Amino acid sequence: FAGRYRFESLLGEGSFARVFKVYDLHRRAFLAAKVLRSDIAQEPMFLERFRREAAVLQRLQHPHIVRYYDIVESGDLVFILTDHIPGRTLQSVMRQRGGPLTPAESLTYLQPLSAALHFAHEEGVVHRDLKPANILLDENNNLYITDFGIAKILSDASTLTMDATVGTPHFMSPEQILIGEVTVVTDVYALGVLLYQM
């Protein structure tokens, strides 16, 4: 695309977007491109939500949060560029184990996860969809939080996503399910569920 991005392979697919491994010819590096579905890119509300995700990621430069580079818009093609983290998710690690992790293993993941969440909360951002599938682990077992697609900016009075329940039911706090006020406690609740599962 644009003589710069070579789309290599499809990494994953969700309701609103697909994630591709791309090679950036300028940076000479592999990145991940989260591409908004073209039919959805024509809907102003979804396009604005996607732009907000990019704005959130831009604020969150932390060693344990997937690094954001850019949002590219060209007609119906809209995508967010982030680091490509080759490896697996915490979900796949837990599934392969087939049983609980040891306390020491759980702490290995809990410490960077808590540090990254604390940083996001200090920046006024609540993730709202913290779960094992949104935690990436590279080949060296370094942890990165990803998918801030439904994150809430606490200082933002926008009603963009306030009229609907968003998140993954097993990890949602009561106030999130009941479409109540979302605060940093919402993520702490999800972190508790995550720790219980580990």
Side-chain angles (χ1 to χ4, degrees):
F1 173 75
R4 175 168 181 176
Y5 304 110
R6 188 174 68 232
F7 283 69
E8 298 269 325
S9 59
L10 180 66
L11 297 174
E13 195 162 357
S15 303
F16 304 110
R18 292 187 290 175
V19 179
F20 292 88
K21 178 181 177 181
V22 300
Y23 186 73
D24 183 341
L25 295 163
H26 290 196
R27 291 188 178 94
R28 296 183 181 177
F30 285 104
L31 301 177
K34 184 175 183 179
V35 182
L36 192 62
R37 278 183 25 204
S38 57
D39 56 327
I40 289 175
Q42 296 175 21
E43 297 291 331
M45 188 182 81
F46 286 108
L47 183 57
E48 185 56 33
R49 189 164 130 182
F50 204 63
R51 287 177 180 145
R52 284 180 76 231
E53 179 180 355
V56 166
L57 285 171
Q58 195 168 17
R59 290 169 68 163
L60 300 180
Q61 300 297 315
H62 186 275
H64 296 292
I65 295 174
V66 173
R67 188 185 315 146
Y68 164 85
Y69 289 101
D70 202 2
I71 184 169
V72 177
E73 296 188 46
S74 178
D76 291 342
L77 185 62
V78 182
F79 57 93
I80 291 172
L81 289 165
T82 63
D83 269 338
H84 172 251
I85 310 294
R88 54 211 172 132
T89 64
L90 183 57
Q91 181 180 45
S92 65
V93 169
M94 291 164 60
R95 192 173 286 150
Q96 284 174 348
R97 177 61 63 88
L101 306 179
T102 66
E105 287 171 322
S106 297
L107 269 177
T108 300
Y109 298 129
L110 186 63
Q111 287 171 332
L113 192 50
S114 299
L117 274 181
H118 178 70
F119 175 81
H121 295 163
E122 289 289 300
E123 288 292 312
V125 175
V126 179
H127 189 286
R128 293 202 298 180
D129 198 21
L130 191 68
K131 57 185 178 183
N134 285 339
I135 298 167
L136 303 177
L137 303 168
D138 68 15
E139 296 104 326
N140 299 315
N141 219 30
N142 295 311
L143 179 148
Y144 305 89
I145 300 178
T146 189
D147 204 355
F148 279 80
I150 61 168
K152 172 73 176 166
I153 301 172
L154 294 176
S155 61
D156 187 0
S158 167
T159 57
L160 199 59
T161 56
M162 287 180 61
D163 299 324
T165 302
V166 291
T168 303
H170 291 308
F171 296 88
M172 289 168 67
S173 64
E175 70 274 9
Q176 194 174 2
I177 290 170
L178 297 170
I179 318 176
E181 184 182 356
V182 171
T183 68
V184 297
V185 176
T186 303
D187 283 347
V188 175
Y189 182 95
L191 186 63
V193 176
L194 185 55
L195 182 58
Y196 173 78
Q197 287 193 344
M198 286 195 287

